[in-house]
Structure formats: structure tokens, C-alpha cells
């Protein structure tokens, strides 16, 4: 339950990483406020479980399998969302990988894979979705960073490096996309789900139509750049 009334009826939202964690919680909350949700995840069974739960609560959703580090798959995910719902107004990038391993023990595959997903995949999704949002008159993009990636919990160097890149991407995208009426913000997710989902709902709503280029910590009441 949110502390404010949010009506997202008529909004089509695409949520990556929707099979678990913050992505799943946000997808459920968006649907609870009336949005049609495309729940995307690398694990289709988890994505389908999120979609089915939304349906059981009277919402509208589809499940999509995607590896966002593959540009073709990311593009296909967006087109499947538009085919199902006719439009796209909101992208929530919540897919990420976090290998907790000391710097001296990280192998090349772990390093590359985390950056491919956490930074490269997010860039693909943001760029491809922004082109659609620009054509449709605007919308919002929310990038969700796991708490581990900002060192509030133990993390690996790959996740931390990716998060730093995402923060920079968020700020630059907000500057470049403002002329297309696209808002871009980031949330540093903590352990508790309610503050994360409340922030996401607020940033998805028209109440936040003048807010862009900000990083919000879900355990703090104000935006703050690291």
C-alpha cells in the first residue's frame, strides 16, 4: 500500500528483471495502480509467475524472456510489448547481476558479464525504448540500482563499476531526452521493498513530471548524487 494515490490506468509499463527482487515488486505495484505490465526476465518461469500473480489480482500483464545484453533480444522485447498493448509509456530497468567476490578473485567472464548486463543491457533498453517514447510523445524511464552496487551492502567490483556507469547514463539521458518529454531517473534500492516501489510509482506518475536526472536512495527522503 502506498502513502499516496497513484492512478496509472492507460499506462503501459515494461519492467526488466521482473521475475524477482525489486523488479518483481515494482511490476506488481505498477499493475496494482492500473498499468498494463510487460514482465521481462532472463528466466521465463519467474517472469510468468509475476505475470500470473498480476492476473490473479485482476491486472493485465504478459511475460517475456529476454537477455538484455543482446541488443536484438532487447529490441524484440520492446516490440512484443507494443504488439500486446499498442504502446509504451514507461520503462523500468531493474535487471542486474551482482557477483560478490573480492577484486583479486574476479575472473574475466564475471567482469564482462556484469558490465554486459548491468551497463550495456541497460543502455540498449534505454536507447531503444527512448526512441519509441519519443515517437509517442514522451514518457518515463526508471533505472533501478541494487543496494549492493552502491556499497550499502557487500558487493563485487563489476556491480559497483556498472552502477557508476548507470548513474552517468541516467544524468546524460535526462539531459538529451528532455526535449522529447522523456524523464529519466534512478533509484538505489535498499533491502525493504515498500520504499522502492513507492518511489517507482511516484516517478512513473504525472506528479513527477518535472523531475528528471535524479538519483533517489530508497532509504532516504531526498534525492542525492553519490
Amino acid at each position: 500500500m502506498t502513502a499516496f494515490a497513484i492512478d496509472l490506468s492507460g499506462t503501459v509499463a515494461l519492467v526488466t528483471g521482473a521475475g524477482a527482487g525489486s523488479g518483481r515488486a515494482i511490476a506488481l505495484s505498477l499493475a496494482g495502480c492500473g498499468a498494463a505490465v510487460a514482465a521481462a526476465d532472463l528466466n521465463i518461469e519467474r517472469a510468468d509467475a509475476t505475470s500470473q500473480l498480476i492476473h490473479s489480482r485482476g491486472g493485465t500483464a504478459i511475460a517475456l524472456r529476454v537477455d538484455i545484453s543482446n541488443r536484438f533480444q532487447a529490441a524484440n522485447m520492446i516490440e512484443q510489448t507494443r504488439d500486446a498493448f499498442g504502446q509504451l509509456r514507461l520503462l523500468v530497468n531493474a535487471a542486474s547481476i551482482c557477483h560478490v567476490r573480492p577484486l583479486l578473485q574476479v575472473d574475466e567472464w564475471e567482469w564482462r558479464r556484469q558490465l554486459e548486463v548491468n551497463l550495456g543491457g541497460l543502455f540498449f533498453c534505454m536507447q531503444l525504448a527512448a526512441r519509441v517514447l519519443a515517437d509517442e510523445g514522451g514518457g518515463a524511464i526508471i533505472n533501478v540500482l541494487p543496494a549492493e552496487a552502491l556499497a550499502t551492502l557487500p558487493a563485487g567490483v563489476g556491480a559497483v563499476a556498472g552502477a557508476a556507469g548507470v548513474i552517468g547514463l541516467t544524468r546524460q539521458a535526462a539531459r538529451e531526452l528532455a526535449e522529447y518529454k522523456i524523464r529519466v531517473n534512478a533509484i538505489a534500492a535498499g533491502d525493504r521493498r515498500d520504499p522502492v516501489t513507492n518511489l517507482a510509482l511516484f516517478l512513473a506518475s504525472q506528479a513527477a513530471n518535472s523531475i528528471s536526472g535524479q538519483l533517489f536512495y530508497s532509504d532516504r527522503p531526498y534525492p542525492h548524487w553519490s
Side-chain angles (χ1 to χ4, degrees):
M1 182 70 69
T2 63
F4 43 86
I6 295 291
D7 183 5
L8 297 177
S9 300
T11 298
V12 175
L14 170 58
V15 183
T16 68
S22 296
R24 181 175 187 271
I26 291 171
L28 294 174
S29 294
L30 290 170
C33 289
V37 176
D41 200 275
L42 181 62
N43 185 320
I44 187 58
E45 293 181 353
R46 296 195 307 189
D48 189 61
T50 299
S51 176
Q52 291 301 319
L53 185 53
I54 290 173
H55 284 297
S56 72
R57 296 177 176 179
T60 302
I62 58 171
L64 302 173
R65 184 195 179 282
V66 63
D67 178 349
I68 62 170
S69 69
N70 182 305
R71 185 181 179 87
F72 174 81
Q73 291 189 32
N76 187 56
M77 170 187 67
I78 292 170
E79 287 309 306
Q80 286 182 285
T81 301
R82 297 179 74 192
D83 288 344
F85 300 123
Q87 61 164 297
L88 178 65
R89 282 289 182 265
L90 171 67
L91 169 67
V92 178
N93 286 308
S96 65
I97 298 175
C98 185
H99 294 301
V100 180
R101 192 186 297 273
L103 183 148
L104 298 181
Q105 297 178 16
V106 174
D107 62 34
E108 182 180 356
W109 184 88
E110 288 178 332
W111 169 256
R112 290 183 180 277
R113 183 58 179 162
Q114 288 179 91
L115 292 183
E116 286 172 356
V117 173
N118 298 4
L119 186 57
L122 181 141
F123 167 76
F124 291 152
C125 293
M126 187 162 60
Q127 183 190 60
L128 293 166
R131 290 172 178 169
V132 173
L133 295 176
D135 287 342
E136 296 185 354
I141 298 173
I142 302 170
N143 298 323
V144 181
L145 306 174
E148 294 92 336
L150 292 175
T152 57
L153 292 173
V157 292
V160 172
V166 170
I167 290 172
L169 278 176
T170 299
R171 299 181 76 174
Q172 184 62 22
R175 295 188 190 103
E176 294 189 21
L177 299 178
E179 65 176 293
Y180 302 105
K181 299 181 181 179
I182 300 172
R183 298 177 286 108
V184 188
N185 291 288
I187 299 173
D191 292 329
R192 295 182 299 131
R193 294 288 176 243
D194 284 353
V196 178
T197 56
N198 285 349
L199 270 173
L201 291 176
F202 170 69
L203 292 173
S205 73
Q206 287 303 306
N209 62 8
S210 63
I211 299 174
S212 192
Q214 299 298 311
L215 169 64
F216 292 83
Y217 285 85
S218 66
D219 57 353
R220 302 179 192 175
Y222 52 87
H224 175 74
W225 283 107
S226 297

